[in-house]
């Protein structure tokens, strides 16, 4: 039997070692035998671990590692037990250190994580003599709050001083390579618990398990499933039937947890038929490593395999993330669904909440524990821990407020209040003849190149020029701006733009334009999948024809332009309390165009799940 080859630089899990050492290790040890590549679509896309390590260029390939699910199936099947996932994680960390690991597509998962450790959602309740806490994670409290309460109450029977910690283990940041932030947040949590005498954590989420196991130090961690086996199971009755099991990849090497899940199912009366990939050889559900945000096709490859292997059987898992991700693809439920709602689960009707209700559930759960637990010590997570710059949003907000205050003071000082009258404003602009619209369009045209938002100009067009001419001038200004940025991207700033757009999503845009041409321009004007200003430059690097780009931009930016101008052309009147029919129509139009991305995402998700 081959022994596990642990790269010396990753023997210490806390070590943030130079990427170069990982690369050298992989080049030396990997024989490029192809075994792991057969199992993994990511490796089939980018090459064998040895080849990737040999040719890795951090300037060009920094986005590539974010497409690996970090699932470690490669390690399990490797004859030498090499660990390519550790190398890819280090590439992610290196990209973050170089300032190249920040993808707008990850904003959703980062915000989700941020809610988890916010003072609003977090809660620690430690009764007298508490040395053990239940840590349900983020997913389970949101989707299955009633089951968290039932599980806690059940465990409390054998651990009367059981405490509760509603918080986030910060694994998303860990996996996205933001090691400094991860450690700041996790070690604060860990040190607080140790300081308060807690020595044991019971987790429900395999990802939390992995984090506590790797970084928890003196804290011992066990899963709720192992803990359940030590109790008389909840008296919810036996059930018969055959199910299959999806083992979460985060605990691939934890055989005692795989056993516990199967023991629980068998004690419930169910037969387990294994899928091809199970236990140590399990596969990712598709959600691992946040891959779906950058490479949805790779993520769907994993869930597609699960669908084939499940072959219509009900799948049970013990990770709420896996259950939620797989359920639309193949009927998948959480072990806790089965324990607390057996009949509904086996007939596919278990109660599972979806976003945005998940946030409400977490607040309700916090209120429940506040009301029903009598803690000796309690807290919410301190507010000042997240010191990361908030992408300028706070600065932008402050700047806008200062500008607004300045504008009001300036208007009063100059006795311009009279011009806040819509009709007078329009008369004033008309007084300048053709110069007014020309200056307006000129200013609008330079906003994309200065990375300024165009929306304030669109709104101003409605106020200054009215609904008809407002649309004409705004769409002309916006199209001129988009064209200017396109030309700069194509002819002047190619190197700078290339460097900015090295991520896989931008490469995908290039491929899509090659296949579908101007239709991609039309589509991205309707559905803002990319940051607007950067997108204009990016199109300059693609092969789309200039004329096609201008026409598609003009036509497909029109709907949003019309909606906002309808609204803003009667905005000043509305602010004075005079709501006109045009304002209501404009408001509805804005809601409609703003909903297009939402409905598109739902449609795409449904379509992806069907295929
Ligand atoms: S960790 Fe998973 S996704 Fe990444 S290379 Fe290994 S098998 Fe492929
Ligand atoms: S299985 Fe191991 S030795 Fe073979 S290509 Fe993969 S990492 Fe290299």
């Amino acid at each position: 039997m081959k022994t596990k080859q642990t790269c010396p630089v990753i023997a210490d899990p806390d070590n943030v070692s130079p990427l170069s050492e990982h690369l050298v290790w992989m080049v030396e040890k990997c024989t490029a035998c192809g075994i792991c590549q057969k199992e993994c679509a990511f490796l089939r896309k980018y090459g064998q671990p040895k080849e990737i390590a040999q040719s890795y260029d951090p300037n060009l390939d920094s986005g590539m590692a974010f497409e690996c699910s970090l699932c470690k199936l490669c390690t399990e099947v490797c004859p030498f037990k090499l660990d390519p996932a550790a190398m890819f994680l280090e590439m992610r960390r290196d990209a973050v250190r170089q300032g190249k690991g920040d993808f707008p597509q990850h904003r959703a998962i980062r915000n989700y994580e941020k809610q988890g450790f916010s003072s609003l959602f977090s809660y620690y309740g430690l009764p007298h003599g508490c040395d053990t806490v239940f840590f349900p994670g983020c997913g389970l409290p949101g989707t299955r709050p009633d089951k968290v309460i039932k599980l806690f109450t059940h465990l409390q029977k054998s651990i009367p001083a059981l405490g509760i910690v509603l918080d986030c283990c910060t694994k998303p940041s860990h996996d996205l390579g933001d090691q400094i932030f991860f450690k700041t947040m996790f070690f604060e949590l860990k040190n607080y618990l140790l300081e308060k005498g807690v020595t044991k954590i019971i987790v429900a989420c395999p990802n939390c398990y992995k984090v506590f196991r790797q970084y928890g130090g003196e804290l011992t961690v066990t899963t709720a499933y192992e803990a359940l086996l030590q109790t008389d199971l909840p008296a919810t009755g036996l059930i018969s039937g055959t199910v299959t099991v999806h083992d979460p990849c985060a605990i691939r090497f934890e055989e005692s947890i795989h056993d516990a899940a199967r023991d629980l199912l068998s004690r419930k009366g169910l037969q387990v038929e294994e899928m091809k990939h199970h236990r140590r050889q399990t596969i990712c559900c598709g959600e691992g490593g946040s891959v779906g945000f950058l490479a949805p096709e790779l993520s769907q490859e994993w869930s597609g395999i699960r669908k084939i292997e499940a072959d219509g059987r009900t799948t049970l898992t013990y990770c709420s993330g896996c259950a939620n991700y797989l359920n639309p693809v193949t009927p998948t439920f959480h072990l806790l669904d089965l324990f607390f709602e057996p009949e509904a689960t086996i007939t596919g009707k278990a109660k599972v909440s979806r976003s945005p209700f998940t946030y409400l559930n977490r607040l309700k759960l916090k209120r429940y524990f506040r009301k029903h637990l009598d803690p000796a010590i309690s807290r919410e997570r301190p507010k000042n821990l997240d010191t990361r710059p908030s992408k300028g949003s706070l600065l932008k907000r402050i700047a806008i407020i200062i500008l607004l205050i300045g504008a009001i003071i300036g208007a009063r000082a100059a006795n311009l209040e009279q011009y806040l009258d819509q009709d007078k404003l329009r008369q004033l602009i008309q007084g300048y003849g053709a110069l007014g619209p020309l200056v307006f369009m000129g200013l609008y045209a330079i906003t994309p190149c200065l990375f300024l938002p165009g929306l304030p100009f669109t709104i101003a067009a409605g106020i200054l020029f009215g609904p008809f001419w407002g649309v004409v001038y705004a769409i002309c200004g916006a199209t001129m701006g988009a064209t200017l940025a396109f030309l700069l991207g194509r002819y002047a700033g190619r190197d700078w733009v290339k460097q900015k757009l090295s991520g896989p999503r931008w490469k995908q845009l290039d491929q899509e334009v090659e296949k579908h041409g101007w239709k991609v321009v039309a589509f991205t004007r309707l559905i803002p999948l990319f940051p607007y200003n950067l997108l204009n430059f990016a199109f300059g690097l693609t092969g789309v024809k200039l004329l096609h780009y201008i026409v598609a931009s003009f036509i497909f930016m029109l709907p949003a332009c019309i909606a906002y101008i309808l609204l803003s052309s009667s905005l000043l009147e509305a602010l004075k309390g005079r709501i006109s029919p045009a304002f209501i129509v404009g408001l509805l139009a804005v809601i409609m165009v703003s909903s297009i991305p939402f409905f598109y995402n739902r449609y795409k998700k449904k379509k992806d799940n069907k295929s």
Side-chain angles (χ1 to χ4, degrees), residues 2 29 43 109 134 160-161 194 198 233 241 244 323 328 338 377 386 417 420 428 512 517 536 590 597:
K2 303 282 188 308
K29 299 291 174 185
L43 293 176
I109 182 72
F134 177 41
L194 284 171
V198 173
L233 294 186
T244 190
L338 186 78
I377 301 164
D386 187 359
E417 276 170 302
L420 289 180
L428 178 78
E512 293 292 323
N536 297 321
V590 167

Side-chain angles (χ1 to χ4, degrees), residues 422 425-427 429-430 433-441 457-474 565 568-569:
Q422 193 166 276
L425 263 176
R426 287 179 193 165
Q427 276 167 18
I429 292 292
Q430 275 168 15
L435 193 63
L438 283 177
V439 169
F440 173 84
M441 287 188 286
F457 278 86
T458 309
I459 291 171
I463 295 172
L464 297 176
F465 303 107
F468 179 77
W469 289 110
V471 170
V472 173
Y473 300 145
I565 285 177
S568 65
S569 59

